[in-house]
mmCIF file of all heavy atoms in Angstrom:
data_model
loop_
_atom_site.group_PDB
_atom_site.id
_atom_site.type_symbol
_atom_site.label_atom_id
_atom_site.label_comp_id
_atom_site.label_asym_id
_atom_site.label_seq_id
_atom_site.Cartn_x
_atom_site.Cartn_y
_atom_site.Cartn_z
ATOM 1 N N ARG A 241 -1.866 -95.338 -90.209
ATOM 2 C CA ARG A 241 -1.997 -96.730 -90.653
ATOM 3 C C ARG A 241 -3.274 -97.390 -90.157
ATOM 4 O O ARG A 241 -3.786 -98.313 -90.780
ATOM 5 C CB ARG A 241 -0.760 -97.540 -90.216
ATOM 6 C CG ARG A 241 0.473 -97.136 -91.020
ATOM 7 C CD ARG A 241 1.717 -97.646 -90.393
ATOM 8 N NE ARG A 241 1.953 -97.043 -89.071
ATOM 9 C CZ ARG A 241 3.042 -97.236 -88.350
ATOM 10 N NH1 ARG A 241 4.003 -98.040 -88.803
ATOM 11 N NH2 ARG A 241 3.180 -96.653 -87.178
ATOM 12 N N LEU A 242 -3.856 -96.870 -89.056
ATOM 13 C CA LEU A 242 -5.134 -97.426 -88.582
ATOM 14 C C LEU A 242 -6.236 -97.124 -89.601
ATOM 15 O O LEU A 242 -7.115 -97.944 -89.854
ATOM 16 C CB LEU A 242 -5.502 -96.832 -87.216
ATOM 17 C CG LEU A 242 -4.644 -97.310 -86.052
ATOM 18 C CD1 LEU A 242 -4.799 -96.379 -84.846
ATOM 19 C CD2 LEU A 242 -4.997 -98.743 -85.672
ATOM 20 N N ILE A 243 -6.151 -95.936 -90.207
ATOM 21 C CA ILE A 243 -7.150 -95.547 -91.222
ATOM 22 C C ILE A 243 -7.018 -96.471 -92.431
ATOM 23 O O ILE A 243 -8.008 -96.967 -92.969
ATOM 24 C CB ILE A 243 -6.978 -94.055 -91.579
ATOM 25 C CG1 ILE A 243 -7.389 -93.216 -90.361
ATOM 26 C CG2 ILE A 243 -7.804 -93.670 -92.805
ATOM 27 C CD1 ILE A 243 -6.888 -91.806 -90.355
ATOM 28 N N GLN A 244 -5.762 -96.743 -92.820
ATOM 29 C CA GLN A 244 -5.510 -97.645 -93.953
ATOM 30 C C GLN A 244 -5.954 -99.068 -93.652
ATOM 31 O O GLN A 244 -6.649 -99.691 -94.438
ATOM 32 C CB GLN A 244 -4.002 -97.709 -94.225
ATOM 33 C CG GLN A 244 -3.455 -96.635 -95.119
ATOM 34 C CD GLN A 244 -1.931 -96.766 -95.136
ATOM 35 O OE1 GLN A 244 -1.270 -96.065 -94.374
ATOM 36 N NE2 GLN A 244 -1.400 -97.647 -95.958
ATOM 37 N N LEU A 245 -5.526 -99.572 -92.495
ATOM 38 C CA LEU A 245 -5.784 -100.979 -92.157
ATOM 39 C C LEU A 245 -7.270 -101.306 -92.076
ATOM 40 O O LEU A 245 -7.693 -102.396 -92.439
ATOM 41 C CB LEU A 245 -5.125 -101.319 -90.808
ATOM 42 C CG LEU A 245 -3.607 -101.455 -90.849
ATOM 43 C CD1 LEU A 245 -3.026 -101.461 -89.437
ATOM 44 C CD2 LEU A 245 -3.211 -102.727 -91.601
ATOM 45 N N PHE A 246 -8.079 -100.337 -91.587
ATOM 46 C CA PHE A 246 -9.511 -100.611 -91.426
ATOM 47 C C PHE A 246 -10.361 -99.892 -92.478
ATOM 48 O O PHE A 246 -11.579 -99.886 -92.379
ATOM 49 C CB PHE A 246 -9.972 -100.222 -90.005
ATOM 50 C CG PHE A 246 -9.309 -101.040 -88.930
ATOM 51 C CD1 PHE A 246 -8.517 -100.438 -87.967
ATOM 52 C CD2 PHE A 246 -9.470 -102.418 -88.908
ATOM 53 C CE1 PHE A 246 -7.897 -101.198 -86.972
ATOM 54 C CE2 PHE A 246 -8.860 -103.180 -87.917
ATOM 55 C CZ PHE A 246 -8.062 -102.575 -86.952
ATOM 56 N N ASP A 247 -9.691 -99.299 -93.462
ATOM 57 C CA ASP A 247 -10.386 -98.552 -94.515
ATOM 58 C C ASP A 247 -11.417 -97.605 -93.877
ATOM 59 O O ASP A 247 -12.588 -97.557 -94.272
ATOM 60 C CB ASP A 247 -11.068 -99.543 -95.482
ATOM 61 C CG ASP A 247 -11.562 -98.842 -96.733
ATOM 62 O OD1 ASP A 247 -11.029 -97.748 -97.031
ATOM 63 O OD2 ASP A 247 -12.489 -99.359 -97.379
ATOM 64 N N ALA A 248 -10.953 -96.876 -92.858
ATOM 65 C CA ALA A 248 -11.864 -96.027 -92.077
ATOM 66 C C ALA A 248 -12.300 -94.813 -92.887
ATOM 67 O O ALA A 248 -11.505 -94.226 -93.624
ATOM 68 C CB ALA A 248 -11.189 -95.572 -90.793
ATOM 69 N N GLU A 249 -13.554 -94.437 -92.739
ATOM 70 C CA GLU A 249 -14.051 -93.214 -93.365
ATOM 71 C C GLU A 249 -13.803 -92.067 -92.396
ATOM 72 O O GLU A 249 -14.230 -92.103 -91.246
ATOM 73 C CB GLU A 249 -15.541 -93.355 -93.688
ATOM 74 C CG GLU A 249 -16.059 -92.095 -94.344
ATOM 75 C CD GLU A 249 -17.326 -92.297 -95.143
ATOM 76 O OE1 GLU A 249 -17.919 -93.394 -95.091
ATOM 77 O OE2 GLU A 249 -17.720 -91.329 -95.815
ATOM 78 N N GLU A 250 -13.098 -91.029 -92.867
ATOM 79 C CA GLU A 250 -12.793 -89.865 -92.027
ATOM 80 C C GLU A 250 -13.881 -88.817 -92.243
ATOM 81 O O GLU A 250 -14.090 -88.361 -93.361
ATOM 82 C CB GLU A 250 -11.436 -89.289 -92.414
ATOM 83 C CG GLU A 250 -10.295 -90.266 -92.220
ATOM 84 C CD GLU A 250 -9.043 -89.796 -92.951
ATOM 85 O OE1 GLU A 250 -8.943 -90.068 -94.157
ATOM 86 O OE2 GLU A 250 -8.200 -89.155 -92.318
ATOM 87 N N LEU A 251 -14.567 -88.435 -91.160
ATOM 88 C CA LEU A 251 -15.668 -87.468 -91.278
ATOM 89 C C LEU A 251 -15.459 -86.294 -90.336
ATOM 90 O O LEU A 251 -15.121 -86.478 -89.160
ATOM 91 C CB LEU A 251 -16.995 -88.146 -90.936
ATOM 92 C CG LEU A 251 -17.497 -89.207 -91.915
ATOM 93 C CD1 LEU A 251 -18.777 -89.854 -91.383
ATOM 94 C CD2 LEU A 251 -17.731 -88.617 -93.301
ATOM 95 N N SER A 252 -15.688 -85.081 -90.863
ATOM 96 C CA SER A 252 -15.605 -83.866 -90.050
ATOM 97 C C SER A 252 -17.006 -83.312 -89.854
ATOM 98 O O SER A 252 -17.796 -83.286 -90.799
ATOM 99 C CB SER A 252 -14.750 -82.822 -90.774
ATOM 100 O OG SER A 252 -14.966 -81.546 -90.194
#
Side-chain angles (χ1 to χ4, degrees):
R241 289 166 295 186
L242 289 163
I243 291 161
Q244 274 173 264
L245 286 167
F246 296 119
D247 191 22
E249 180 159 8
E250 299 165 276
L251 292 176
S252 164

